[in-house]
């Protein structure tokens, strides 16, 4: 299974892509702001990193959204599916493993363990 990077616009996305290109690690790039993310993919990433880690709590859009004020899992998932700009990008998915945000130390560990 190929590595998938769910991304949008931003410096962290560029850094993540550069990280994998420099190490010649093949990946599939999915622009979530343009195409969105499927519910099963989102649930898979949430299972790996936790639902709280998926939310970009620093963004103004998040603070103004309904999901900033709820703890209900279904409401949060529905809000993230409806407005992918609330996600903490890039989301990097490697089978059942995943990261939210720029996490080179985790990706290096995956590479060292032969999971990439």
């Amino acid at each position: 299974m190929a590595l998938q990077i769910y991304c949008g616009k931003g410096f962290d996305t560029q850094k993540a892509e550069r990280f994998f290109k420099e190490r010649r690690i093949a990946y599939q790039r999915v622009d979530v702001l343009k195409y969105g993310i499927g519910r099963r993919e989102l649930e898979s990433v949430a299972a790996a990193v936790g639902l709280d880690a998926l939310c970009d709590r620093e963004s103004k859009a998040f603070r103004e959204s309904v999901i900033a004020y709820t703890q209900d899992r279904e409401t949060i998932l529905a809000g993230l599916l409806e407005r992918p700009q609330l996600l903490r990008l890039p989301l990097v998915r490697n089978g059942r493993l995943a990261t939210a945000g720029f996490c080179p130390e985790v990706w290096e560990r995956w590479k060292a363990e032969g999971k990439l």
Side-chain angles (χ1 to χ4, degrees), residues 74-91:
E74 288 304 312
T75 303
I76 294 171
L77 281 173
L80 293 173
L81 286 168
E82 187 179 310
R83 297 185 59 203
Q85 63 268 29
L86 301 176
L87 289 167
R88 186 168 162 229
L89 300 174
L91 299 177

Side-chain angles (χ1 to χ4, degrees), residues 22-77:
E22 287 174 353
R23 288 156 183 81
R24 294 189 173 101
I25 298 169
Y27 63 89
Q28 176 186 8
R29 183 182 198 277
V30 179
D31 186 343
V32 291
L33 300 181
K34 185 174 183 181
Y35 300 108
I37 186 169
R39 183 172 186 88
R40 292 186 68 179
E41 284 89 357
L42 187 62
E43 287 176 346
S44 172
V45 174
V49 301
L51 191 58
D52 198 45
L54 287 178
C55 302
D56 183 8
R57 299 193 175 279
E58 305 298 315
S59 73
K60 181 179 177 187
F62 179 82
R63 289 189 303 269
E64 293 174 350
S65 72
V66 171
I67 66 171
Y69 305 101
T70 185
Q71 295 296 316
D72 181 53
R73 179 180 172 79
E74 288 304 312
T75 303
I76 294 171
L77 281 173

Side-chain angles (χ1 to χ4, degrees), residues 11-28:
F11 191 58
D12 283 346
T13 294
Q14 293 172 351
K15 290 191 304 185
E17 287 188 282
R18 188 177 321 116
F19 176 91
F20 293 111
K21 282 180 186 175
E22 287 174 353
R23 288 156 183 81
R24 294 189 173 101
I25 298 169
Y27 63 89
Q28 176 186 8

